[in-house]
mmCIF file of all heavy atoms in Angstrom:
data_model
loop_
_atom_site.group_PDB
_atom_site.id
_atom_site.type_symbol
_atom_site.label_atom_id
_atom_site.label_comp_id
_atom_site.label_asym_id
_atom_site.label_seq_id
_atom_site.Cartn_x
_atom_site.Cartn_y
_atom_site.Cartn_z
ATOM 1 N N GLY A 15 176.028 -17.575 -38.816
ATOM 2 C CA GLY A 15 175.694 -16.229 -39.009
ATOM 3 C C GLY A 15 176.484 -15.383 -40.134
ATOM 4 O O GLY A 15 176.394 -14.146 -40.312
ATOM 5 N N LYS A 16 177.365 -16.098 -40.850
ATOM 6 C CA LYS A 16 178.300 -15.428 -41.752
ATOM 7 C C LYS A 16 177.590 -14.711 -42.817
ATOM 8 O O LYS A 16 177.817 -13.568 -43.026
ATOM 9 C CB LYS A 16 179.149 -16.495 -42.413
ATOM 10 C CG LYS A 16 180.141 -17.205 -41.500
ATOM 11 C CD LYS A 16 180.845 -18.325 -42.146
ATOM 12 C CE LYS A 16 180.054 -19.488 -42.791
ATOM 13 N NZ LYS A 16 179.521 -20.313 -41.791
ATOM 14 N N THR A 17 176.550 -15.373 -43.528
ATOM 15 C CA THR A 17 175.760 -14.728 -44.538
ATOM 16 C C THR A 17 174.961 -13.653 -44.050
ATOM 17 O O THR A 17 174.829 -12.504 -44.689
ATOM 18 C CB THR A 17 174.939 -15.779 -45.321
ATOM 19 O OG1 THR A 17 175.863 -16.873 -45.824
ATOM 20 C CG2 THR A 17 174.299 -15.232 -46.418
ATOM 21 N N THR A 18 174.329 -13.831 -42.846
ATOM 22 C CA THR A 18 173.508 -12.856 -42.371
ATOM 23 C C THR A 18 174.320 -11.578 -42.051
ATOM 24 O O THR A 18 173.955 -10.446 -42.387
ATOM 25 C CB THR A 18 172.823 -13.276 -41.071
ATOM 26 O OG1 THR A 18 172.270 -14.528 -41.216
ATOM 27 C CG2 THR A 18 171.832 -12.325 -40.448
ATOM 28 N N ASP A 38 179.214 -13.870 -52.957
ATOM 29 C CA ASP A 38 178.815 -15.131 -52.455
ATOM 30 C C ASP A 38 180.009 -16.109 -52.828
ATOM 31 O O ASP A 38 179.838 -16.512 -53.949
ATOM 32 C CB ASP A 38 177.516 -15.713 -52.676
ATOM 33 C CG ASP A 38 177.116 -16.855 -51.748
ATOM 34 O OD1 ASP A 38 178.072 -17.325 -50.916
ATOM 35 O OD2 ASP A 38 175.940 -17.259 -51.740
ATOM 36 N N ASP A 40 180.858 -18.742 -50.928
ATOM 37 C CA ASP A 40 180.569 -19.989 -50.234
ATOM 38 C C ASP A 40 180.021 -21.053 -51.280
ATOM 39 O O ASP A 40 178.869 -21.399 -51.391
ATOM 40 C CB ASP A 40 179.479 -19.763 -49.253
ATOM 41 C CG ASP A 40 179.377 -21.005 -48.231
ATOM 42 O OD1 ASP A 40 179.891 -22.073 -48.485
ATOM 43 O OD2 ASP A 40 178.599 -20.894 -47.322
ATOM 44 N N ALA A 43 178.034 -24.192 -50.840
ATOM 45 C CA ALA A 43 176.629 -24.043 -50.152
ATOM 46 C C ALA A 43 176.120 -22.543 -50.189
ATOM 47 O O ALA A 43 175.952 -22.013 -49.147
ATOM 48 C CB ALA A 43 176.598 -24.551 -48.689
ATOM 49 N N PRO A 44 176.072 -22.021 -51.399
ATOM 50 C CA PRO A 44 175.674 -20.646 -51.557
ATOM 51 C C PRO A 44 174.286 -20.372 -51.021
ATOM 52 O O PRO A 44 173.339 -21.343 -51.061
ATOM 53 C CB PRO A 44 175.654 -20.388 -52.987
ATOM 54 C CG PRO A 44 176.107 -21.606 -53.637
ATOM 55 C CD PRO A 44 175.982 -22.776 -52.732
ATOM 56 N N SER A 45 174.087 -19.220 -50.356
ATOM 57 C CA SER A 45 172.675 -18.931 -49.832
ATOM 58 C C SER A 45 172.349 -17.556 -49.845
ATOM 59 O O SER A 45 171.281 -17.108 -49.472
ATOM 60 C CB SER A 45 172.650 -19.418 -48.379
ATOM 61 O OG SER A 45 173.590 -18.736 -47.486
ATOM 62 N N TYR A 49 168.626 -14.434 -49.342
ATOM 63 C CA TYR A 49 168.492 -13.195 -48.637
ATOM 64 C C TYR A 49 167.909 -12.025 -49.588
ATOM 65 O O TYR A 49 167.158 -11.176 -49.119
ATOM 66 C CB TYR A 49 169.804 -12.795 -48.042
ATOM 67 C CG TYR A 49 170.188 -13.577 -46.799
ATOM 68 C CD1 TYR A 49 170.557 -14.870 -46.911
ATOM 69 C CD2 TYR A 49 170.082 -13.035 -45.520
ATOM 70 C CE1 TYR A 49 170.889 -15.633 -45.678
ATOM 71 C CE2 TYR A 49 170.449 -13.620 -44.465
ATOM 72 C CZ TYR A 49 170.808 -15.025 -44.523
ATOM 73 O OH TYR A 49 171.127 -15.562 -43.399
HETATM 74 MG MG1 MG B 202 176.197 -18.804 -45.330
#
Side-chain angles (χ1 to χ4, degrees):
K16 301 177 290 287
T17 303
T18 307
D38 193 350
D40 190 355
S45 62
Y49 283 73

